[in-house]
Amino acid sequence: DAGVIQSPRHEVTEMGQEVTLRCKPISGHDYLFWYRQTMMRGLELLIYFNNNVPIDDSGMPEDRFSAKMPNASFSTLKIQPSEPRDSAVYFCASSFGGMPNYGYTFGSGTRLTVV
Amino acid sequence: KQEVTQIPAALSVPEGENLVLNCSFTDSAIYNLQWFRQDPGKGLTSLLLIQSSQREQTSGRLNASLDKSSGRSTLYIAASQPGDSATYLCAVGEYNNNDMRFGAGTRLTVKP
């Protein structure tokens, strides 16, 4: 398996633009998580899905952030409009049967810079 | 709310030294604990996963222990190498919660 695949690896955009981050989880994994990592706040959970259904989005910072999982093999995280404070590394992770049993597998992340 | 703390925030050691990284958590009712490695500009690589019923896990030069009652875990690295230089994060999983709580990490530098 190729692991969790995220794209793009790097994204530089201007303030006010829409940004879409993509994630392909490991085949067969039924949980998908979006995290954001910054120097100041470390790793923060934004949202997670179980069987393509959003379960907990309490970590989504504002209405500017939205996430979808149209099928078991694809998820997007969208920021519209983007702001400089959104600059961070965004990670996607997936697991099978829920984290408690098998832990997480992370993607390589998308480094977002909003100027 | 579960709080996960890693001390020290940074550690520098000479090559060949054995070292211990610490992770503490405030709520001992955990399901498991996972140690990750993160290289600069890279994602997180899982190193070891310890279930709550286990006391330790070993992989090569790495050994992770778990003491739920005291809210602590340690990651022991034997015979450290420059290639071990990275940030090491611990994360705690809780019952009835698919989220994991992460510590801020310990940035390890192994000098040749």
Side-chain angles (χ1 to χ4, degrees):
Chain A
D1 197 314
V4 177
I5 300 172
Q6 291 187 245
S7 64
R9 290 296 306 275
H10 302 276
E11 177 80 33
V12 180
T13 190
E14 293 185 346
M15 181 174 62
Q17 296 297 306
E18 176 180 296
V19 176
T20 299
L21 312 180
R22 297 172 176 79
C23 175
K24 176 179 169 56
I26 290 175
S27 177
H29 281 192
D30 54 350
Y31 282 80
L32 183 140
F33 306 83
W34 282 101
Y35 278 86
R36 177 172 68 177
Q37 186 179 41
T38 61
M39 287 293 293
M40 290 295 296
R41 301 171 70 90
L43 270 164
E44 301 174 282
L45 177 68
L46 300 177
I47 185 171
Y48 78 88
F49 296 82
N50 177 217
N51 291 322
N52 315 337
V53 176
I55 302 300
D56 184 354
D57 65 354
S58 59
M60 297 285 262
E62 302 171 28
D63 291 345
R64 299 184 296 105
F65 285 69
S66 63
K68 294 182 179 180
M69 192 166 186
N71 57 62
S73 59
F74 183 67
S75 177
T76 60
L77 177 68
K78 184 177 295 185
I79 308 173
Q80 166 64 21
S82 58
E83 297 182 3
R85 61 194 168 116
D86 301 330
S87 296
V89 181
Y90 291 80
F91 287 104
C92 175
S94 70
S95 71
F96 172 69
M99 171 283 304
N101 292 323
Y102 300 104
Y104 284 6
T105 301
F106 276 78
S108 298
T110 295
R111 182 175 296 277
L112 173 65
T113 303
V114 183
V115 298
Chain B
K1 180 180 176 182
Q2 179 77 267
E3 299 288 339
V4 181
T5 304
Q6 292 186 247
I7 294 174
L11 180 64
S12 181
V13 301
E15 182 177 4
E17 192 165 296
N18 301 326
L19 60 99
V20 174
L21 306 180
N22 297 294
C23 173
S24 62
F25 44 94
T26 54
D27 187 344
S28 61
I30 67 169
Y31 202 105
N32 61 18
L33 185 145
Q34 192 167 5
W35 282 92
F36 294 88
R37 168 184 172 139
Q38 185 175 26
D39 292 282
K42 305 290 186 182
L44 280 71
T45 300
S46 178
L47 297 174
L48 292 164
L49 172 67
I50 310 176
Q51 303 295 349
S52 62
S53 59
Q54 299 173 320
R55 297 283 296 185
E56 65 178 352
Q57 283 285 333
T58 298
S59 176
R61 294 183 294 108
L62 305 180
N63 176 276
S65 67
L66 175 63
D67 184 343
K68 279 178 50 179
S69 61
S70 65
R72 294 180 182 178
S73 175
T74 61
L75 179 66
Y76 174 82
I77 303 177
S80 59
Q81 303 171 358
D84 295 330
S85 298
T87 296
Y88 291 81
L89 298 102
C90 70
V92 167
E94 300 174 289
Y95 287 96
N96 301 317
N97 186 354
N98 282 296
D99 182 16
M100 296 192 83
R101 297 290 176 184
F102 281 83
T106 295
R107 189 174 68 254
L108 173 66
T109 302
V110 181
K111 298 173 289 186

